[in-house]
Each structure stands twice: as C-alpha cells, then as structure tokens.
Amino acid sequence: MRRSPATNTYAEEKPPGWELTAHILLSMAAAALLLAAAVTALILKFMDRRLRARRLADLPAVLPPLDAIEKVMFRLIGAGFALLTLALLTGFVFVTDLWDQHLQHKTILSCIAWVIFGVLLVGRIRYGWRGRPRCRGH
C-alpha cells in the first residue's frame, strides 16, 4: 500500500502484469544460461592449460573431451542469446519511459552483451571459430 499525502488515504498497488513477469523471467533465464556458458569457458581454459603444460595427472578422468565441452558451451550461449533477445524485445515493448524509469544502464549493457554474444555466434557458425584462437581473441 502506498500513502497519498494529499488525501491522507492509502491506495492499493497493482501487482505487476504478465508482461513484466515475462520480461523478468526471460532475463533471469538468459543470465543463468550465459553464466553457465561462462563457467564452461573457464573449465575449457583450465583444461586447455593443463593439457598444454602436459599436466594430465591433474585432470579428472571423468571430464569429457574439449570438443564436447566447447559444443556444450556454444549451445548454452545460443540458448542464452535467444532468451536475451526475447528479454530485450519484451523490455523494449513494455517499457513506458526509459529515462524516467532509470533503465538506461541496464538497457545499454544488455545491448552490448547482445552484440558481443551475437558476434561470437556468427563467428562460430559462419567462420568456424573454435579452439584456442577463440579463447585468446585471434
């Protein structure tokens, strides 16, 4: 409840509509998938360093091959990218005033992330980016 100072009465706050709920759920799901992809990338980097240093005894035997982990990582990125796209679309459709609601920083950072993940996916699909050069940015 919110108190109205002019009339000294209380007004009921409306619960958020389905639009905002959908936007929040899509955003949280996208963030979860992209976080899982980041953790997968760290595992890939760790395994690659161990293999290149010939420290195979340090690697757990239950880990799958690097190619399989990389494939999983890009599937996570693809699913996260799709959900981030939907989250951005629902945000753009249902936001009434970007400046008044103080959402500029979230919108700008989300769009930058969308572009980065989009470039990464296009590079993987069109140019076959994979392996170490992808990790180092070459």
Side-chain angles (χ1 to χ4, degrees):
M1 294 186 133
R2 191 176 0 180
R3 184 172 181 255
S4 173
T7 60
N8 209 16
T9 59
Y10 290 93
E12 291 287 325
E13 285 189 26
K14 289 179 19 179
W18 69 269
E19 303 94 352
L20 182 60
T21 303
H23 172 69
I24 291 170
L25 290 175
L26 286 167
S27 300
M28 289 174 61
L33 287 171
L34 294 171
L35 176 65
V39 170
T40 306
L42 290 174
I43 292 170
L44 260 173
K45 189 71 171 171
F46 171 76
M47 287 179 61
D48 185 58
R49 280 191 176 172
R50 293 290 183 201
L51 287 170
R52 298 220 179 261
R54 301 193 192 288
R55 295 177 62 189
L56 300 177
D58 294 347
L59 289 176
V62 295
L63 288 176
L66 289 178
D67 288 345
I69 295 175
E70 188 177 51
K71 192 179 291 187
V72 167
M73 180 185 68
F74 275 100
R75 286 182 181 163
L76 287 168
I77 292 172
F81 181 77
L83 290 178
L84 181 60
T85 302
L86 292 173
L88 284 171
L89 289 174
T90 58
F92 288 138
V93 169
F94 300 118
V95 168
T96 54
D97 186 5
L98 187 68
W99 302 106
D100 189 41
Q101 294 175 329
H102 306 290
L103 300 174
Q104 308 92 330
H105 64 288
K106 291 180 184 180
T107 305
I108 291 168
L109 292 174
S110 296
C111 289
I112 290 170
W114 186 84
V115 167
I116 290 170
F117 285 116
V119 166
L120 184 62
L121 289 172
V122 166
R124 166 76 173 196
I125 293 167
R126 185 162 183 178
Y127 302 111
W129 292 352
R130 47 187 314 269
R132 273 192 102 193
R134 172 217 11 93
C135 291
R136 289 193 317 235
H138 290 99

